[in-house]
């Protein structure tokens, strides 16, 4: 509890901090409301799913628009607007990676004819997660290699977490996951490893593929945390300060979830903000990695138990 309180205390020190957070959240709420009122990102994603170039261009413009809105605003809040232009290459890197992560998919199931019919879907998911891992890893790895004398070189990967605090924060989320598992929108997405029949029943693949999928799924969250709470916080914070860096990251992290269930997307803004402040305070991304993996696997388990034992 102390880590959470102290991390939030680091941010909310003055009236300006409360106003800046409220302003950014209000802006995010406008984007969020528009997206789920008109199903903006889901409809474009569905319409362009077979058009790789079109989908990539859509997500590039989507995240570029978000970045061009949020970063000048948060920098202006803290009197750092003059740092926006020098930060453009870094911000452009964020946009490119997020566009790739959201659009680059193998969709041709014929490439997986070598696996059994019940394993095709999970094999595609697993391979696509491996691709996502590579996309998230490229820029942080280049930063670590090239920034040899920089104090933020390791992006929070060189310090271990406080495991007691991690378990406490994870424990706070578990009751919410249990409650969410009774929602149809939740069960329409989770468990990720299972295919769905037209009547709503699940298709369970072989155990080996479930294990391979869950490993890639967990690894994806590890590199996601490193990218968002490491690469999107530390390099920019060293230039403009932690507060605008974390607010901008939380906003972009929320946009990433605009094809997920709507309250998961809303919660992702707060989750991104809290984990960003914890990461900066502790100079470690491992708390976020462990919490994120724990939540993700708990969601998988909760949904699986619902389908196996509680749903009629």
């Amino acid at each position: 509890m102390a880590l959470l309180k102290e991390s939030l205390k680091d941010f909310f020190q003055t009236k300006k901090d409360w106003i800046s957070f409220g302003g950014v959240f209000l802006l995010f709420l406008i984007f969020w409301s528009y997206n789920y009122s008109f199903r903006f990102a889901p409809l474009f994603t569905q319409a362009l799913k077979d058009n790789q170039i079109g989908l990539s261009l859509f997500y590039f413009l989507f995240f570029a628009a978000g970045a061009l809105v949020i970063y000048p605003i948060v920098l202006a809040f803290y009197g750092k607007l003059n740092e926006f232009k020098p930060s453009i290459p870094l911000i452009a890197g964020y946009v490119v990676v997020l566009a790739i992560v959201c659009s680059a998919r193998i969709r041709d199931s014929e490439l997986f004819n070598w696996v059994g019919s019940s394993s095709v879907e999970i094999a595609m998911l697993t391979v696509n997660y491996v691709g996502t891992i590579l996309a998230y890893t490229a820029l942080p790895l280049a930063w670590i290699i090239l920034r040899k004398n920089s104090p933020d070189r390791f992006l929070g990967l060189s310090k271990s977490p406080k495991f007691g605090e991690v378990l406490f924060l994870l424990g706070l989320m578990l009751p919410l996951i249990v409650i969410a598992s009774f929602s149809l929108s939740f069960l329409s997405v989770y468990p990720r490893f299972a295919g769905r029949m037209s009547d709503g029943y699940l298709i369970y693949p072989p155990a080996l593929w479930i294990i391979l999928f869950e490993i890639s799924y967990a690894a994806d969250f590890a590199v996601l945390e490193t990218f968002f709470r490491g690469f999107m916080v530390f390099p920019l914070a060293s230039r403009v300060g932690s507060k605008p860096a974390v607010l901008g990251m939380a906003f972009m992290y929320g946009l990433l979830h605009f094809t997920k269930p709507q309250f998961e997307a809303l919660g992702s803004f707060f989750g991104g903000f809290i984990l960003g402040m914890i990461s900066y305070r502790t100079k470690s991304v491992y708390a976020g990695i462990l919490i994120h993996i724990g939540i993700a696997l708990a969601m998988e388990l909760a949904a699986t138990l619902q389908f196996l034992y509680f749903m009629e």
Side-chain angles (χ1 to χ4, degrees):
M1 187 65 176
L3 178 58
L4 177 60
K5 288 174 63 177
E6 292 301 318
S7 298
L8 293 177
K9 188 177 178 181
D10 284 347
F11 186 92
F12 295 109
Q13 295 178 344
T14 67
K15 185 177 180 179
K16 180 172 69 174
D17 297 326
W18 286 96
I19 293 172
S20 63
F21 178 84
V24 170
F25 176 62
L26 180 60
L27 183 61
F28 179 77
L29 204 57
I30 292 170
F31 276 61
W32 175 83
S33 178
Y34 179 85
N35 182 66
Y36 287 98
S37 294
F38 298 99
R39 293 185 52 78
F40 179 72
L43 285 177
F44 270 95
T45 301
Q46 180 63 29
L48 296 170
K49 68 177 183 178
D50 296 321
N51 183 346
Q52 185 65 67
I53 295 176
L55 189 62
S56 299
L57 180 59
F58 165 73
Y59 272 109
F60 177 81
L61 294 175
F62 176 74
F63 286 112
L68 289 173
V69 169
I70 195 59
Y71 280 104
I73 288 176
V74 294
L75 292 175
F77 272 143
Y78 287 96
K80 298 285 187 177
L81 187 57
N82 62 316
E83 293 290 346
F84 177 67
K85 187 175 180 180
S87 300
I88 286 177
L90 195 58
I91 294 170
Y94 304 158
V95 169
V96 170
V97 169
L98 295 180
I100 292 172
V101 164
C102 289
S103 63
R105 297 287 186 277
I106 296 174
R107 302 183 189 277
D108 187 358
S109 61
E110 293 184 2
L111 295 174
F112 297 88
N113 286 337
W114 50 276
V115 300
S117 59
S118 64
S119 303
V120 170
E121 185 172 344
I122 194 171
M124 291 179 69
L125 271 175
T126 303
V127 171
N128 281 321
Y129 270 120
V130 171
T132 300
I133 290 166
L134 295 175
Y136 273 133
T137 302
L139 284 182
L141 185 60
W143 182 272
I144 290 170
I145 292 171
L146 297 175
R147 304 280 293 188
K148 293 183 178 180
N149 298 318
S150 175
D152 57 21
R153 176 189 177 192
F154 290 106
L155 305 173
L157 290 167
S158 58
K159 290 189 177 182
S160 61
K162 296 180 179 180
F163 289 99
E165 293 283 356
V166 170
L167 291 174
F168 174 80
L169 293 172
L170 186 56
L172 291 178
M173 296 301 300
L174 292 180
L176 299 178
I177 293 171
V178 172
I179 294 170
S181 70
F182 288 89
S183 164
L184 290 178
S185 63
F186 181 93
L187 295 174
S188 69
V189 177
Y190 303 102
R192 296 295 307 275
F193 64 78
R196 283 167 171 75
M197 300 174 67
S198 59
D199 55 11
Y201 285 93
L202 299 186
I203 303 171
Y204 289 92
L208 177 61
W209 274 110
I210 294 177
I211 293 170
L212 291 174
F213 168 78
E214 295 296 352
I215 291 172
S216 67
Y217 192 42
D220 178 69
F221 284 117
V223 295
L224 177 149
E225 281 296 323
T226 303
F227 184 82
F228 276 94
R229 260 59 81 179
F231 188 62
M232 289 185 71
V233 171
F234 290 106
L236 195 58
S238 66
R239 180 180 302 224
V240 303
S242 62
K243 296 176 183 181
V246 170
L247 283 174
M249 176 275 295
F251 186 92
M252 299 296 286
Y253 184 62
L255 295 186
L256 180 73
H257 290 74
F258 272 18
T259 56
K260 299 285 186 72
Q262 67 184 93
F263 290 106
E264 181 180 347
L266 184 61
S268 69
F269 172 84
F270 295 102
F273 171 75
I274 291 170
L275 291 176
M277 289 309 302
I278 289 175
S279 171
Y280 190 78
R281 177 176 178 79
T282 61
K283 299 298 184 287
S284 172
V285 296
Y286 290 111
I289 289 173
L290 294 174
I291 290 169
H292 214 148
I293 290 175
I295 290 173
L297 297 182
M299 291 167 76
E300 290 282 282
L301 178 61
T304 302
L305 293 176
Q306 284 285 358
F307 279 104
L308 290 179
Y309 299 109
F310 298 108
M311 294 189 70
E312 295 181 358

